[in-house]
Structures are given as structure tokens and as C-alpha cells.
Amino acid sequence: MFLGLDLGTSGLKGILINEDQEVLAEASAPLSVARPQQGWSEQAPADWIGAAEKVLSQLAGAGLGALKGIGLSGQMHGAVLLDGADDVLRPCILWNDTRAHAEAAELDAMPGVRALSGNIVFPGFTAPKLVWLARHEPGVFARVAKVLLPKDYLRLWLTGEHVAEMSDAAGTSWLDTGKRDWSEALLTASGMQRAQMPRLVEGSEVSGQIRPELAQRFGMPAGVVVAGGGGDNAASGIGVGVVKAGQAFVSLGTSGVLFAANDGYQPDPETAVHTFCHALPGRWHQMGVILAATDALNWFARLTGASARDLTADLGPLKGPEKTLFLPYLGGERTPLNDAAIRGAFIGLAHATDRAAATRAVLEGVTFAIRDCRDALAATGTRIESLLAVGGGSNSRLWCAMIATALGTPVSLPVAGDFGGAFGAARLALMAATGAGEEIAHPPAISAVIEPDRALEAAFDEGHARYRAAQAAIRGLT
């Protein structure tokens, strides 16, 4: 058996698979987020341990006597601050916390920072959080002996080891992403030292072994290995088999992600594309990230007093975009704008704009934002030859048809099942425990392939051009 644990913002999920990658059991435990001030987002690491205990207890009911490996996936960018005794100094500052926006801008403006890290320094990244801490909580900063990412605090509990892996570490602004090692220059820029960093491994490598007392408590054999694992999107890439150049997936969740695997390192920070290490050695990945995908549809559903399902149920077949445009920037935007201040808008409203037309505009607006991500990735040389759709929004065939047509790329829909971070983490556990490689990270069985509607491609090109013009017009107004 091989276990994947995925530490998300809203909960922790565990998936148990066998050597044939069949899911044997699943378990989950909820988590909550504290927001003590405007723009702040925190969690207590002790709550993660409590959630892990619940998940492992549930899975122990299925029997863990044949367990060989554990893999970890998790929310990225968080700062878990430990003293010399490994005691947590303060609540973890999460990925969606924006308090360090000024510090991020300062780091981003320093010569060489983007060149070494391969990325813009976004406010949610780890390094600016520590600069903020030094300025606003200097007593805590002075006691920081180690900084761990969220899933790696779970690893510390499981193994007693301070270890990170490449894909998660690449989102700190401390990693030389091309060399896959901590950068002395980047650490110094934010007042940190290498001694405060965990040891680095690849995602498919062994990072440690389960502590004997935990093995006994949950009915595991001695010597269960814990794999390096991956950041949530990298682990999801392993889960859906996106591991080689040309392969990609689009995730239509609360936020939207266009994720493409790369065989080499080809950053272009000015595009606001994330260029990170993949969870496999010698692989990198790029992501275009939009902050509102299904979140935009759910917002419109609340506005109209209808459910998202009802809004999309009777829209009929795919057709070309009409004059009504929607810009989905409800909370700013990442790729390609890197603009925390921009806000969304409906443009081109008319007497004829009814609920169906407005709903189509929302779906088209998110689609055009994903096309922006595709264009940003293409500017770095990344090509997309195959595209999988995952996440709740992928249940809408119409939305997937819009994406296929706007991107000019067929969209494949996996058969029912969970191929996300927990499944990818379980695959990484299998690799670490058995020595298997990327060949086991094959794509899932496909239930349908949605082809682009070539007759409507020109209409979607024209709609995207109007979308870009509207995007430029509202910047600074909202």
C-alpha cells in the first residue's frame, strides 16, 4: 500500500492505493482559516497535526499493515516558523495572505532576484513574509531557527526530519530554480541563512522514515518511507500524468490553473508565469494562475439568486461570444497582469442581455483569462500538445468546449475519479518506496475528448481581442 496526504487550505485528504494504483480507501478532515486582520490569512500548524491524526485513524480502519510509503502534497508558500526546539513560534502565514505586498515589491526590485528565482516575487511567497516579520515582529524573527512549508511540517511530525522538496521550495523566492538548490544571494536579500532552511530532496526520493511510535499507533510496519512529495499543483501534475513537455492540464476550481510540464528550465518572469521545479528530477513546470474560475461563476450565482448548476443548465450549444464581456478580476489577477488592484467588470450590457447571456459572458471571461495564460506560457517557448481538464468546472461540457475553441486545443476529460494532489502524492510514495520512475505517472483513462469548433475559432479570436482591449481600458479605473 502507498498513502498520499494532501494538506489543503480547507482540509487534509488521504488516499490509499495499491501497487496497481487502485484506490483502496480515502479519508479527509476539515480545516479553517483565521483572518485576524484585513488581508491576513493564518492557520495553526497544530490543527494540521490534528487533521492528520483523524485521517490516519480513519485509514487505519482499512488496515495499514502493508503500507510501504507515504507521499506528501500541500498548499504552497506558507511560513511555518520554528525555534531551536522545533516549537511553533506563531500561526503559519498562508499563501493567500497579502500583508507582505510592500516587502514583495522591494525584493522583486532587487537586481538578480528574478533571474535566480525564475519568478516575480509575489506577496504570497514565503520570502517577503520573513521580511515583514523582521519589521513587525522582530522578537519572533530573532528566534527563527527553521522555516518549513506547510506539508513539510507534517513531514517533521511523521519523521522528525527537516526536509523540503524542489517543487514547493521553488515557491519561496529562496531557491535557485535552475540549479535546484537554495541560493545564498536570495536568502541574504531577505535576511535569512542557509542554516534556517530544511534539507532538499527530489519529490520522488526518500526524505525519511516514519517514527516508530507513529507506526505502532496507526498499525503501520516499521520502516515506512516518506517521499519528498510535491507542492499541490506539482503533485496534481503527477496525479494526472502531466510530466513531460507538451503535456498540460487546466484546473477549473475556485481559482484557475493552466499547468504545463517542461523538460528544461525556461523562465520568463515578466509574463507573470510561475516557473517552478516539478516533483520529478530533471523536470520543471510552468503555471499560469487566475484568481477566479468557478469562484466567478459562484459569485454571479449569488448575485442572481440562482445556483451555478441552474445558471449553466440551459445555455444550449456552443456559439460565438456576443457583445457582453465579463472580466473575472474579482480579487485582482496573477497571470499575466500581476495586478492586485484591478477588479472585475461587465462591459457591453444592453437591453437584450438576459441571465443566459450574462452567464455565457462569465464563462467566456474565465476562458479568455485562461487563454491569456496560454499566451503567456507560449511566450516562454512552452508548447501544449495535450490538455486535460480537471476540477469542478470541468463538469460543464460547454465550458470545456469554450476552452478548446479559444485555445485551439482538444480538451480531454478523465473518467470519474480523484487524480489530484493526494493521488499524485501516493504515486510519489510508490516511486520512493520501490524505485519506480515517471513511467508510473501515466495519464488517466479518458471519458471524452472535446474538439475545438473550427467554425467558431475566428469568433473567439475576435472576442478575446475585445476582452484584451477592455482589460487595458479598466486598469486604473477599478
Side-chain angles (χ1 to χ4, degrees):
M1 295 176 176
F2 307 92
L3 173 62
L5 295 174
D6 179 33
L7 175 61
T9 314
S10 59
L12 188 144
K13 181 171 186 176
I15 287 183
L16 194 64
I17 65 172
N18 62 18
E19 288 180 323
D20 295 325
Q21 302 188 45
E22 298 166 330
V23 175
L24 304 175
E26 300 181 30
S28 60
L31 293 165
S32 60
V33 175
R35 300 186 182 277
Q37 294 190 40
Q38 179 71 25
W40 290 28
S41 180
E42 300 182 343
Q43 284 181 328
D47 291 346
W48 305 337
I49 304 304
E53 290 174 324
K54 291 177 183 176
V55 166
L56 291 175
S57 294
Q58 292 176 55
L59 294 175
L64 296 175
L67 191 67
K68 298 295 183 185
I70 300 173
L72 300 173
S73 165
Q75 51 170 298
M76 296 178 67
H77 313 307
V80 184
L81 310 173
L82 305 178
D83 66 13
D86 285 339
D87 290 328
V88 176
L89 292 170
R90 69 172 324 283
C92 175
I93 307 174
L94 300 186
W95 63 275
N96 54 354
D97 187 294
T98 58
R99 76 185 73 180
H101 58 90
E103 290 78 8
E106 292 170 18
L107 290 175
D108 191 54
M110 291 183 178
V113 167
R114 288 187 179 184
L116 282 168
S117 72
N119 293 276
I120 291 171
V121 183
F122 288 96
F125 283 14
T126 321
K129 294 177 169 71
L130 271 293
V131 179
W132 181 93
L133 192 78
R135 292 175 178 173
H136 298 276
E137 298 179 8
V140 174
F141 182 81
R143 298 173 61 199
V144 174
K146 278 283 190 295
V147 181
L148 296 182
L149 294 156
K151 79 174 192 315
D152 299 326
Y153 184 71
L154 274 186
R155 186 196 321 277
L156 177 63
W157 175 70
L158 290 168
T159 68
E161 301 279 346
H162 303 98
V163 181
E165 52 68 43
M166 305 300 176
S167 68
D168 218 352
T172 61
S173 290
W174 289 322
L175 193 78
D176 185 324
T177 307
K179 293 183 177 178
R180 303 172 87 94
D181 191 17
W182 299 121
S183 163
E184 301 287 353
L186 292 175
L187 289 166
T188 299
S190 54
M192 303 299 292
Q193 301 175 14
R194 183 179 281 262
Q196 294 169 301
M197 296 296 106
R199 175 170 58 90
L200 286 168
V201 299
E202 295 288 350
S204 55
E205 291 181 340
V206 173
S207 68
Q209 293 187 349
I210 194 77
R211 291 191 291 126
E213 57 268 33
L214 290 181
Q216 183 177 13
R217 177 179 171 187
F218 296 109
M220 304 173 187
V224 171
V225 301
V226 177
D232 49 7
N233 284 298
S236 293
I238 302 296
V240 296
V242 174
V243 297
K244 297 179 181 178
Q247 298 175 327
F249 72 83
V250 58
S251 175
L252 294 172
T254 302
S255 58
V257 175
L258 184 63
F259 178 110
N262 295 106
D263 296 338
Y265 178 55
Q266 48 193 57
D268 188 357
E270 286 69 28
T271 62
V273 164
H274 296 332
T275 303
F276 294 154
C277 302
H278 210 331
L280 294 172
R283 294 276 191 271
W284 285 260
H285 70 83
Q286 289 184 317
M287 292 189 297
V289 179
I290 65 172
L291 295 180
T294 60
D295 203 29
L297 181 60
N298 290 333
W299 165 82
F300 187 59
R302 292 193 302 272
L303 191 70
T304 58
S307 71
R309 183 182 298 274
D310 288 343
L311 286 175
T312 57
D314 299 317
L315 292 180
L318 181 68
K319 60 182 182 179
E322 297 177 345
K323 293 299 183 183
T324 302
L325 286 170
F326 176 73
L327 287 85
Y329 311 132
L330 301 177
E333 191 56 292
R334 285 264 185 106
T335 311
L337 303 181
N338 186 27
D339 190 338
I342 194 171
R343 289 297 179 266
F346 272 112
I347 293 177
L349 295 172
H351 290 296
T353 306
D354 57 12
R355 192 176 82 168
T359 302
R360 280 183 176 273
V362 170
L363 300 182
E364 290 163 358
V366 173
T367 297
F368 291 143
I370 291 168
R371 175 163 166 165
D372 277 354
C373 290
R374 192 281 309 273
D375 292 347
L377 265 63
T380 75
T382 292
R383 69 185 193 278
I384 295 176
E385 297 169 356
S386 63
L387 184 63
L388 282 162
V390 297
S394 66
N395 292 320
S396 168
R397 293 291 183 96
L398 175 62
W399 209 348
C400 292
M402 288 179 179
I403 292 169
T405 304
L407 272 60
T409 303
V411 173
S412 298
L413 303 179
V415 297
D418 189 329
F419 304 102
F423 185 72
R427 280 182 159 177
L428 291 166
L430 195 160
M431 293 180 194
T434 67
E438 68 179 50
E439 71 280 354
I440 70 158
H442 48 76
I446 300 302
S447 65
V449 177
I450 298 178
E451 297 287 342
D453 187 330
R454 302 299 180 186
L456 292 176
E457 282 188 341
F460 273 86
D461 288 345
E462 191 273 335
H464 181 245
R466 290 190 294 110
Y467 172 89
R468 292 297 301 269
Q471 175 190 96
I474 70 165
R475 294 191 82 171
L477 294 178
T478 57

